[in-house]
Amino acid sequence: MNKFLLIVAILICSTRLSAQSQTNKYQYKIDLLNMRDNRVQVSLVPPKTNQREAKFVMPKLIPGYYDAMNFGQYVSAFKAFNKKGEPITVKRLDTNTWIVPDLKNTARITYEVSSGWEDLPQNTPGAKSAESTFKKNKLFILNYNALVGYFEKVRNKGYKVTVKKNREFYPSSALEYTHQNDTIDVVSAKDYRHLVDAPVMYCVPDTTWITVGNAKVLVSFYSQSHQSYSKTLASRLDTILRSQQAYLGGRLPVNEYAFLIYHEKIPRGLMADGLEHSNSTVCLYGSETLDQLPEALIDVASHEFFHILTPLNIHSKEVQDFNFLNPVLSRHLWLYEGMTEYATMHMPIKQRMISLQQFAKKIEAKIKGMEGFDNNLSMTVMSTNAIKRQDQYMNFYQKGALIGLCLDIRLRELSNGKLGTQELMQKLVKKYGPEKAFKDEDLFNVITAFTFPEIRQFFKDYVEEGQTISLKESLMKVGLDYDEAAKTVFEMNNPSSSQLSLRKAWINQ
């Protein structure tokens, strides 16, 4: 070997060693370009550690979806290697965990990940919006909870993810991706929670940016059967977001947000599935045409966007320090889902987007929606047992929303119309925010301190003890009547001036 070739060989060797050297971060590589048997290839250089035996974890659950999804089920061919490239024997303990016997000397780990779903009508358990899908040379939706894991005792480390992708593909995400070249992107996150909190959609881009007050909003759309539709959706979202901005006091609690919208043509009907994140939402739709999509998007996107209040800005330690393998669930799903659903109902009437009659129909739908559930159960007990009581979980969107309605009216009544759930949520956002959690057992007392002593009894009766909610009494205070037998809501014939005044404060009607 001549001197020149020797230098080149040393440089190449040095580059390879440098690329594989350990740091204090998890260094992942995800290859979307060279799939094998419909599986994506993943490799990991672990962070520096002196730990010997270590447990590698893929999530059992993720925040925002309260059922076991077991993302380890998509992982196969899990292998570990030392610095010499020699294999290290690993042991799979169960669906979601592996034991690496010598992490200190493990230089690289490789595995393969299968797609969570191939098409929307596919009968797979769980929410597809929380899973990943790989459609070679067409589309990749990456939820990192389905692709990336962590070592149980090596937490709070940063993540650097290198993605190899098609030359013409573009990443849509709340995280900022750096383009190293035409086929390599790099993204970083300060820890696992923040990485999982920011899914990405890779495809040939159909994107539109809109500005709503202080917030820049990305609308990214993919449909194999329709092109150039993001502008239409962005226009509809612009309208709803401006109404939400006004509802939230004139300012959105985020500066950037991304809607990642996937559409698939299905023979009939409409399917919709969405999952919120701090600065983005994944929305999946199935329909024969796009005719129904804008309105369907508004329904799902409005709910998911309101999650920027709770649990993303208002949450307990159980959410802040979420255990992805063995989570302890918060008592307050009535807040995270019920109050979010109530805001989704309340905002359109408060902002005069719908009529009082249309709003009454929404209330009736929630009343009828409660019929299939046990409405004597404590919502706090249901919340901590959400995994076991999936048969009752959807009642947070029914009874939980109506609890929010009754709470709003009660607050307006006690404050002479000045304070409702809108203002209460703003007070809680100001007190806590995205990185400060409340103690689960303290929330009711905190809210009571912000409001009135009577509110503590409200929570005791209707949230903790599961008493029948006082719908008829609450609605009567605002000049509405509720026929309990027919389950219908309608205006009273001759409401008093005090009833009309309270209604005006409540729904601006």
Side-chain angles (χ1 to χ4, degrees), residues 59-339:
K60 179 179 180 180
L61 284 89
I62 58 167
Y65 190 77
Y66 301 93
D67 193 12
M69 297 193 72
N70 296 310
F71 292 98
Q73 67 180 299
Y74 305 114
V75 174
S76 59
F78 189 94
K79 300 174 182 177
F81 304 89
N82 63 21
K83 292 177 177 62
K84 296 179 180 179
E86 299 166 338
I88 296 173
T89 302
V90 296
K91 179 182 179 182
R92 189 166 194 164
L93 291 182
D94 53 38
T95 301
N96 300 307
T97 60
W98 292 255
I99 290 293
V100 178
D102 188 8
L103 182 58
K104 181 180 179 180
N105 292 307
T106 298
R108 186 167 60 100
I109 289 170
T110 64
Y111 54 87
E112 298 177 346
V113 178
S114 300
S115 179
W117 52 276
E118 298 301 325
D119 54 75
L120 291 181
Q122 181 181 345
N123 187 22
T124 53
K128 293 179 174 65
S129 55
E131 298 177 334
S132 295
T133 189
F134 315 137
K135 298 178 183 296
K136 187 175 176 63
N137 299 326
K138 295 177 183 177
L139 165 87
F140 293 87
I141 296 176
L142 307 183
N143 276 293
Y144 284 110
N145 47 266
L147 287 138
V148 169
Y150 61 91
F151 288 97
E152 193 171 47
K153 294 183 180 180
V154 189
R155 303 290 297 273
N156 301 318
K157 297 286 187 180
Y159 278 73
K160 178 184 177 183
V161 180
T162 301
V163 181
K164 190 173 186 179
K165 50 85 178 183
N166 298 60
R167 189 179 299 273
E168 66 276 15
F169 279 11
Y170 178 87
S172 296
S173 175
L175 287 176
E176 184 176 346
Y177 283 68
T178 300
H179 307 291
Q180 285 196 342
N181 57 49
D182 287 346
T183 60
I184 300 294
D185 289 342
V186 178
V187 66
S188 296
K190 69 177 184 179
D191 56 29
Y192 188 73
R193 183 170 68 90
H194 286 82
L195 180 66
V196 167
D197 193 34
V200 58
M201 184 165 74
Y202 267 101
C203 60
V204 175
D206 174 12
T207 58
T208 300
W209 283 92
I210 56 176
T211 301
V212 182
N214 57 287
K216 290 182 63 180
V217 180
L218 170 66
V219 180
S220 186
F221 176 74
Y222 175 85
S223 174
Q224 189 174 346
S225 54
H226 299 84
Q227 304 296 324
S228 302
Y229 201 64
S230 66
K231 285 185 179 180
T232 301
L233 297 178
S235 176
R236 294 292 290 119
L237 284 169
D238 183 79
T239 300
I240 198 79
L241 291 177
R242 290 188 188 282
S243 296
Q244 287 182 303
Q245 176 186 343
Y247 185 83
L248 295 173
R251 181 179 175 84
L252 296 174
V254 290
N255 292 321
E256 292 184 343
Y257 201 85
F259 288 98
L260 314 181
I261 305 163
Y262 168 83
H263 170 262
E264 184 176 303
K265 187 173 182 179
I266 61 174
R268 55 189 169 274
L270 176 72
M271 296 179 65
D273 179 7
L275 182 64
E276 86 285 351
H277 300 272
S278 296
N279 290 80
S280 61
T281 295
V282 174
C283 299
L284 311 178
Y285 295 95
S287 60
E288 188 167 2
T289 69
L290 296 183
D291 296 346
Q292 300 178 67
L293 183 54
E295 291 308 312
L297 173 65
I298 294 308
D299 290 341
V300 174
S302 180
H303 176 97
E304 303 304 339
F305 190 80
F306 268 126
H307 274 301
I308 60 178
L309 292 181
T310 181
L312 304 172
N313 271 276
I314 311 166
H315 54 252
S316 69
K317 290 182 179 296
E318 287 78 4
V319 176
Q320 179 85 10
D321 303 320
F322 192 83
N323 186 320
F324 289 86
L325 185 60
N326 296 302
V328 176
L329 298 185
S330 169
R331 303 172 67 215
H332 298 296
L333 271 175
W334 71 272
L335 172 72
Y336 307 145
E337 296 299 340
M339 288 300 295

Side-chain angles (χ1 to χ4, degrees), residues 44 52 82 120 127 146 164 173 186 224 244 261 314 338 351 355 363 396 399 402 448 472:
L44 162 65
R52 291 291 185 177
N82 63 21
L120 291 181
K164 190 173 186 179
S173 175
V186 178
Q224 189 174 346
Q244 287 182 303
I261 305 163
I314 311 166
Q351 299 306 124
S355 68
I363 298 173
F396 286 110
K399 183 181 178 182
L402 293 175
T448 301
K472 188 174 182 66

Side-chain angles (χ1 to χ4, degrees), residues 459-479:
F459 287 128
K460 181 176 184 294
D461 292 344
Y462 305 119
V463 182
E464 293 179 291
E465 293 185 355
Q467 294 183 26
T468 301
I469 52 179
S470 54
L471 266 174
K472 188 174 182 66
E473 177 187 348
S474 296
L475 291 171
M476 189 174 295
K477 292 174 183 177
V478 292

Side-chain angles (χ1 to χ4, degrees), residues 365-396:
K366 294 301 179 186
I367 294 169
K368 291 170 183 174
M370 290 195 300
E371 290 181 349
F373 302 101
D374 183 347
N375 289 291
N376 297 313
L377 290 174
S378 160
M379 299 215 94
T380 50
V381 172
M382 279 171 55
S383 186
T384 56
N385 291 279
I387 300 171
K388 298 176 183 176
R389 297 308 308 266
Q390 280 291 300
D391 61 319
Q392 299 297 318
Y393 172 74
M394 292 304 294
N395 206 19
F396 286 110

